[in-house]
Structures are given as C-alpha cells and as structure tokens.
Amino acid sequence: METPSAPEADAGCLLRLAPLLLPRTRRGIVGSSRYARRLREEIRDASLDAERRPVLISGEPGLEKDNIAALIHFGSADRQQLLIRLNGALLRPDGADLFGRGSGEEIPLLSCLGGGSLLIDQLDLAPEPLQRQLLELAREGHWHDPHDPTQLHRFAGRLFFTAEKSLSVFDPVCRQIRVPALRVRRADLGEWIRYGVRQKARSLGWSQPPDVGVEAVRRLQTYDFPGNVRELQGLIERALRQCSASHPATLPDDVFWTQKRSVASRFDLWRWKPQLRGLMRSPRLWNGLLFGLVSWIFVLVNLWLWLGPQDRAHNGALNLFWAWWWPLILLAYPLLRRLWCSFCPFMVWGEISQRLARALGLQPRRWPRGEPDRWAAPLLAAGFAAILLWEEVWNLQNTAWLSSCLLLLITAGAVVGSLLFEKRFWCRFLCPIGGMNGLFAKLAISELRAEVGTCAGSCSTYACFKGGPADGEGLATAGCPLGTHPVHLSDNRNCVLCLTCAAACPHRSVQLRLRPPAADLQRGMDPPAGEAGLILVLAGGVCLHHWQRLLGWMPLAPESLQEGALLPRLTFAAIALALPSVLWLATRLGMALAGDRRRAWLGLYGLLPLLWGLMLADHLPLGMAEAGRFLPVSLAPLTPLLASDLNGGLLERLPAWSADPAVIGFCQSLLILPLPLAALVLQRRLLPLAWRGSLLLTGVAAGLAVLGRWLVAA
C-alpha cells in the first residue's frame, strides 16, 4: 500500500529541518566564457523542468555544487518550498536517517520535508545499501520505512545529488549537470577574482573594494587551482587581510600567493638544529651587526679611500674592495645566495635615512602601481653597464677616491629610494649589486620558504608580510623589507635573507632548507622581462676586462682604456661590453624566425652557471695574488716608521701570501672546465630537446667554456 508523504508542519519537524536548510544561493554563475554560458543554460533548463526530474551535479571538489542545486531550486516553481542538504558520506547504510522514525514516535525526515527539495551531497561516498534506496527513490518516487517494509511512502519533493565521481546507475534516472573545473575556465578567472574581491571586501569593512591588476590575473591564470572556487575564495580573503591596514586602491600582485607543488629533496636546517633558528632570528644580533658595526665600518672604509694612498699597492681599503669583496661575494652565491644583501651597508644607510625621515614626520610613498620590474629591470641592467664602463675606462680598481665615489653613488641611490618609497624599493628593483645577487642566488643550494598549509590554515595576521606587534613566539616587526610573502617566493631573487619573516612568524612556518643546485631555474619560470639583459651585461663585463684579447688587433684600437683620448677608449669599451648582446640578439632573431622566441632566453638562463664560473675566474687572479697582502698594503703608509731600527723591520715580518701565476691558472681551469656539464644539465631541464639538440648544446657550452678560459687567462 502506498501512502503520501504529507508534510507535518509541527514545531518538531521545523526544529529537525532548521539545521539542514539551505536558505538562499551564495552567488550566480560568474564568467562569460562558453563554459559559464552553457552552465547557466543547463541550470535554467533544470529549473523549468515541468517533470521535476532528479538532478545529478558532478564535478571536482570545491566547485560549490550545492550552490548550483540551490540555483535550480530557487529558480523553479518550488522556490517557496524548503531545501535541505545532507551529506551522503555521513548517513547510515540502512537509510534510517532519511526514512526511519528513529527513537520514539519521531516522524521520518522525508515526511517532515513534504514537497520540499532534498540535496544529498557526496552521493559517491554514500554506503552502497543507501545508494540503492536513493536510486529507487529517484526512479520510482517512493520509499520504504525500515521499520515497516510493506508500506510505501510517496515523496512529493524533488531530489538533487552531487558527486565527485561518475555514478553510471544514476545517469538514466537523473538530469546530468557536469561543472567544469576552474582551470578549464581560465578566461573567467579575472571576473571571478574581481567579483570575489568586491564581495569579500564589503564583509571585511572596506569602504571601497580594491581593484585587481591585469598582471596579477595573468599570473594566477597559470595556476591550476586544484581546490577550485573554494581555494580561490581563500586566496582572495588572504590577499585582502594582508592589506587590511592600508586599504590600497589596487591590490599588489604579491598578496596573491598560491599552493606550490610539493618539492622533493629538501632538508630543513632549522628542524635539524632548532637552536640555530633561535639564534638567527634574534633582533639583537642583526640590529647590533647592521647598525652598530657595518654602518660605521662603511664610513671608515670610505674615509680610508679618500684620505689614504690612491693606488691599490698602498691602500688597504682598495685591496679589501677589489681583491677580497668581489671573489668572496661570487664564491658565496652557490651556498649562501644573497647573504651580502642581509648586511649590505648601502641598505643600512637607506634604512637609517628612512627612520630619520619618519621621525621628522615624513612618510615615504607606496610603491608604484603595476609591475615596476617591467621598467626597473632594464634600468638596472643599464646602470650596471654604466658602472662597468666607468670602472674600466677610469681605472677604478687602482683609484681609491673613484672607488669610494662608486660606493657612495650606490648608497645615495639607496637613501633616495628609501626617502621616496617605503621599505627597500631600491634593493628590490634598482640596486645593481642587488640585481646581480638576485640573479646568481637562483643557483644556490639553500632557500627560505614557508609552508603554505600552515600559513593558510593557522595565520590571520600576515605579520611576516605587512608587519605587526608581537604575537606568541612571533616578534614585532615592520614586515618583509622587499614586500614579499615567503609563501609567494618562486625563486631566491626577492629574498635578501634578512629573516624578518622568520622573526615575525608565530607558527614556525618559515623554513631554511637545503635543496639541489639551481632549483629555481625551471621550464615554467617567469622571470622579469629585463633580467636577461643583466645576464648579457655581466657577460659583457668579462669581455670588457679582457678587451685587448678580443679587440686589440683592430687598427684603431687604443693602447690602453685608461690613457689617451676619451672617445676611442669609450667606443672600444662599449663595443667589448656589447659583444655578448650582439651575439644573443642574432641568435634570438634566428629563433624568432623559426617561431620560438622563448627558447632564446631560456637557453640564456641555462648558461648561468658558466657565466658565474667565468666571473669568478676573472676575479681570481686579483684575489689570489693580492688578497693575502692586506696587512702589508694597509700598513704601507707607515713604512718609514715600521722599517726603522727601533721596530727591527716589522713590516717585512707581517704575514703575507700571494699565489703563483701557475697556481692561479690551474684554479681557473679547475673552476671553468666542469661547468659545461652543469650548463648542459640545466639546458636539458629548461628546453625540450632531442638528442641532436643536446649534442649541439654540449658543443656550444664546451666551446664557450674554452673561449672563456682563454679569455680570463692570468
């Protein structure tokens, strides 16, 4: 016997249904792509279905399939009826949650619902016995009471199901709606982000929702969003909370950080030695080192360069700059990446100037909108080229006051940048030394990163990015000086190893890890547009230092770049500096004609280890021949006093060391000759090549290594 399942509109039924209600839709279908238009049509057709057929909505997790069911229900003639939602994975196999009376004389849930709509989420995870009962309910429109199997009850409402997997037995019974994943609808992503920002900004108290730049949308369109809409909503909320104090008119790109793919072969040093983490994040250590020591050493070095002897044979500061600093900073890149930037004196005086300006009531401006790298990276490369020309033509290596002018000029840039813009705008975008450090830091075997899961699940202050007061283990900081969240780092370029993020984080999310060399250089990387120019300028610097081997045979070549008429010297210096750029442009033109421009600059990054080796080999002769003579050179102005009978020839007894030219040449060869293999491995990672292409690249890398070894021969 079949009986109708009439609604029981008593207080008990309403109390049972209240926690299960879907009272309204969250949003419509966002986007204008063909996928979004088709989804709207399917929802409209299902809403207008006079037969009220059951609907099976399938798709990946995070696609808000329950909201689509709500759109159909509230867009249909049943909009005045109730819509409740149950999770199929949590229901009992015998269906007692839906069809049974439970304890006492309780009315079955479906009887309470009457003509309303029932949504079963995660139908694919429901127990098989329950799936069979739901299939019968969808096909026949009636159900059995588990306590009285002989009696049939008719269901007057409508059924909705959601599932992440295919359920072929339900296909003939239900109207099918398949929701496309967000990665399939990349054209809709800009509309999704801007809609989500407008919606969430109002709930967070923004008076005017911010805009989202085109570059941010383009970058996010390269991400697959495995969590779909749910992940996108979390990304938008994190971005808005990171800017909650400043409420910018346009959200900066760096506040949108996504889940990185899991990386293998990483070793967390701080988990291995926790006491090392506590020591390295100590503000007393860094403040004492930077403001109490480095800043004043820099002042003394410049006074030494101005007031002491002007040649490298008698000025210890000049020896320190050219014979010590250059080789050591190049040696540090593979291990410690941008370590120099963590205690750079240019930045220290920039910060001191910024603090003084704030104390006087001057507030630096926010960084320019858009993508500063688009114009800053070419400007940085041009600035480095000008420095190389100045160094070679005006003989800075052997002129102390001009070397000091170079240091003071870079410091002036840091000071002006700090006065005009907040944080370290100069360090991130315009510093020539910082640009070189960021480039070679990509080769390093260490990295500073944060765990996305910890940051997304536990953090709501984002103090590592924007600063804030002390919070538990986290210390009070002003936030990342380069304006980058550690989760957002895709390479080492924009991390100066200041450890501000590690100091601010109360959740120990930040990790200092060891990794394989050059892990930042991948086929899908997206470096700044002008960074390739810096690679060519640095390669041109090696050619410039040995211009006579390359151009000395020409009839109009001057005898020296340091003496004679300025115009010929400057012309030949510029030609030597431009040689790598001319060769690369010719290669790029050939690849462009073949329809493959991207390979040209990817191949350039593949030669980065070789460039690093050539630059180090170029500075080895000066370092190995003169660095060990620092004490005699520094005390050379006191020679008359130290060489007197009273001192007994103390100057001659000072420790000094200088490598033989043959030893220097051997070290240069030992450094350069293995690098073609490293370049080949990197090229294979960056470029999809057949075996013939690999052989060609092997020959090119080996030829460049041999040419470079001949060029930098001591």
Side-chain angles (χ1 to χ4, degrees):
M1 178 180 180
E2 181 177 308
T3 61
S5 178
E8 302 287 342
D10 57 16
C13 277
L14 293 178
L15 288 175
R16 288 184 65 196
L17 295 175
L20 309 174
L21 287 177
L22 276 178
R24 61 182 180 272
T25 61
R26 286 190 290 275
R27 66 181 60 81
I29 302 301
V30 180
S32 55
S33 69
R34 59 187 178 93
Y35 299 102
R37 294 195 300 269
R38 186 179 66 187
L39 190 56
R40 289 193 194 97
E41 292 173 1
E42 292 177 340
I43 292 173
R44 182 171 59 251
D45 293 343
S47 299
L48 300 177
D49 186 1
E51 298 180 5
R52 302 171 73 228
R53 292 177 59 197
V55 182
L56 175 59
I57 306 166
S58 58
E60 295 180 0
L63 286 172
E64 296 188 331
K65 296 182 286 293
D66 58 337
N67 184 61
I68 292 178
L71 286 170
I72 297 173
H73 173 79
F74 290 107
S76 69
D78 299 326
R79 65 177 64 91
Q80 300 298 327
Q81 299 288 339
L82 300 179
L83 170 64
I84 65 170
R85 175 180 58 190
L86 293 171
N87 190 332
L90 304 179
L91 297 178
R92 292 170 54 178
D94 61 0
D97 307 279
L98 279 174
F99 313 122
R101 295 179 180 273
S103 59
E105 298 298 326
E106 195 174 75
I107 301 172
L109 188 66
L110 284 185
S111 295
C112 286
L113 184 59
S117 297
L118 172 65
L119 167 62
I120 302 294
D121 261 336
Q122 295 184 305
L123 177 64
D124 51 323
L125 299 181
E128 287 189 13
L130 178 60
Q131 285 188 16
R132 289 194 292 269
Q133 295 182 63
L134 292 173
L135 180 61
E136 181 183 355
L137 180 63
R139 182 188 294 121
E140 306 295 341
H142 58 244
W143 51 278
H144 297 272
D145 189 332
H147 300 289
D148 187 5
T150 61
Q151 188 174 12
L152 290 177
H153 297 268
R154 182 171 57 84
F155 178 53
R158 190 174 186 182
L159 287 173
F160 296 96
F161 303 109
T162 70
E164 295 174 7
K165 298 178 181 177
S166 175
L167 294 170
S168 57
V169 294
F170 281 82
D171 290 349
V173 178
C174 301
R175 175 186 288 269
Q176 301 289 321
I177 295 181
R178 290 181 172 83
V179 186
L182 202 57
R183 65 177 178 276
V184 178
R185 303 167 51 192
R186 297 183 194 271
D188 292 332
L189 193 59
E191 295 173 75
W192 262 110
I193 295 172
R194 293 184 177 95
Y195 172 83
V197 166
R198 289 195 302 270
Q199 191 179 49
K200 195 63 184 178
R202 295 190 186 96
S203 66
L204 294 178
W206 289 56
S207 57
Q208 180 67 32
D211 192 14
V212 180
V214 175
E215 291 300 326
V217 174
R218 287 176 180 169
R219 181 171 59 81
L220 291 174
Q221 283 174 333
T222 64
Y223 180 62
D224 286 342
F225 284 97
N228 290 296
V229 176
R230 189 181 301 125
E231 183 180 358
L232 179 61
Q233 288 176 322
L235 179 143
I236 290 170
E237 182 174 356
R238 289 194 299 269
L240 289 170
R241 289 190 182 277
Q242 290 178 71
C243 300
S244 58
S246 56
H247 286 203
T250 301
L251 291 176
D253 295 353
D254 288 341
V255 300
F256 293 100
W257 41 271
T258 53
Q259 176 75 48
K260 302 293 189 301
R261 293 183 176 90
S262 59
V263 289
S265 306
R266 297 298 195 270
F267 180 76
D268 186 0
L269 291 173
W270 287 344
R271 180 173 294 180
W272 174 54
K273 293 291 184 182
Q275 62 272 23
L276 183 64
R277 180 179 182 273
L279 175 65
M280 294 181 69
R281 67 195 292 265
S282 170
R284 292 184 179 179
L285 170 66
W286 292 106
N287 289 335
L289 178 65
L290 294 177
F291 301 104
L293 184 63
V294 172
S295 58
W296 297 111
I297 288 180
F298 183 70
V299 172
L300 293 176
V301 166
N302 278 279
L303 289 175
W304 196 350
L305 290 171
W306 278 92
L307 303 178
Q310 292 300 296
D311 62 305
R312 199 169 62 246
H314 300 88
N315 192 306
L318 208 57
N319 177 283
L320 193 66
F321 183 23
W322 294 104
W324 280 91
W325 183 84
W326 267 106
L328 286 180
I329 196 174
L330 287 165
L331 279 170
Y333 289 142
L335 298 175
L336 303 171
R337 55 201 184 94
R338 296 189 68 165
L339 180 65
W340 166 256
C341 293
S342 62
F343 51 85
C344 167
F346 314 135
M347 169 273 301
V348 171
W349 282 103
E351 282 206 7
I352 292 174
S353 303
Q354 195 173 76
R355 293 183 182 185
L356 290 175
R358 290 183 185 276
L360 296 174
L362 301 176
Q363 293 297 323
R365 290 176 288 182
R366 299 192 180 279
W367 291 0
R369 296 182 182 180
E371 285 286 322
D373 271 323
R374 286 188 173 274
W375 56 265
L379 192 61
L380 185 152
F384 210 115
I387 289 174
L388 290 173
L389 289 173
W390 185 20
E391 169 196 331
E392 192 67 26
V393 176
W394 277 267
N395 195 18
L396 264 63
Q397 290 189 3
N398 207 37
T399 310
W401 74 274
L402 283 178
S403 294
S404 176
C405 287
L406 173 59
L407 299 178
L408 294 176
L409 182 64
I410 299 176
T411 306
V415 169
V416 172
S418 299
L419 293 177
L420 291 177
F421 299 104
E422 63 181 359
K423 300 191 175 183
R424 300 183 191 171
F425 182 82
W426 170 266
C427 298
R428 173 160 179 175
F429 295 109
L430 294 174
C431 177
I433 305 299
M436 178 182 68
N437 292 348
L439 179 66
F440 286 121
K442 299 180 181 185
L443 302 176
I445 63 170
S446 62
E447 65 181 14
L448 194 74
R449 299 290 188 271
E451 288 291 329
V452 177
T454 303
C455 295
S458 304
C459 184
S460 59
T461 62
Y462 307 103
C464 61
F465 169 72
K466 63 180 183 179
D471 179 17
E473 186 180 317
L475 307 176
T477 69
C480 176
L482 295 194
T484 304
H485 196 291
V487 166
H488 190 258
L489 290 171
S490 58
D491 56 35
N492 284 337
R493 185 174 69 94
N494 287 330
C495 177
V496 295
L497 209 63
C498 65
L499 302 181
T500 300
C501 54
C505 180
H507 309 291
R508 299 199 173 192
S509 174
V510 182
Q511 300 176 346
L512 180 62
R513 306 186 296 206
L514 297 180
R515 64 177 194 179
D520 291 341
L521 301 178
Q522 301 292 336
R523 191 173 301 175
M525 66 181 185
D526 186 23
E531 194 175 58
L534 180 59
I535 298 177
L536 296 171
V537 167
L538 293 174
V542 178
C543 297
L544 177 59
H545 290 162
H546 303 277
W547 72 277
Q548 285 183 326
R549 287 181 175 245
L550 295 171
L551 305 176
W553 54 271
M554 298 180 69
L556 300 178
E559 295 183 2
S560 169
L561 291 184
Q562 287 81 39
E563 298 177 356
L566 177 61
L567 184 58
R569 292 189 289 129
L570 199 57
T571 300
F572 273 83
I575 292 173
L577 184 64
L579 283 177
S581 300
V582 172
L583 292 175
W584 183 75
L585 287 174
T587 304
R588 183 181 178 184
L589 179 60
M591 289 189 172
L593 294 175
D596 196 354
R597 292 185 178 182
R598 181 175 172 83
R599 284 197 180 195
W601 63 262
L602 279 177
L604 199 59
Y605 278 91
L607 296 174
L608 202 56
L610 187 57
L611 174 61
W612 167 80
L614 288 174
M615 289 186 64
L616 180 56
D618 185 26
H619 288 88
L620 274 183
L622 196 59
M624 296 181 69
E626 298 188 19
R629 298 185 53 80
F630 174 72
L631 286 178
V633 168
S634 300
L635 299 176
L638 305 177
T639 298
L641 176 62
L642 296 176
S644 65
D645 294 337
L646 182 63
N647 290 278
L650 178 61
L651 187 64
E652 285 74 12
R653 296 200 300 271
L654 288 174
W657 175 83
S658 180
D660 186 88
V663 175
I664 298 174
F666 173 77
C667 291
Q668 287 178 316
S669 300
L670 193 65
L671 173 66
I672 293 175
L673 295 183
L675 291 178
L677 180 60
L680 175 62
V681 172
L682 198 52
Q683 294 277 6
R684 289 298 304 268
R685 183 198 302 171
L686 293 170
L687 300 173
L689 296 172
W691 66 271
R692 290 182 179 176
S694 299
L695 288 177
L696 177 62
L697 280 179
T698 303
V700 171
L704 289 175
V706 172
L707 178 62
R709 177 64 188 91
W710 167 78
L711 193 62
V712 301

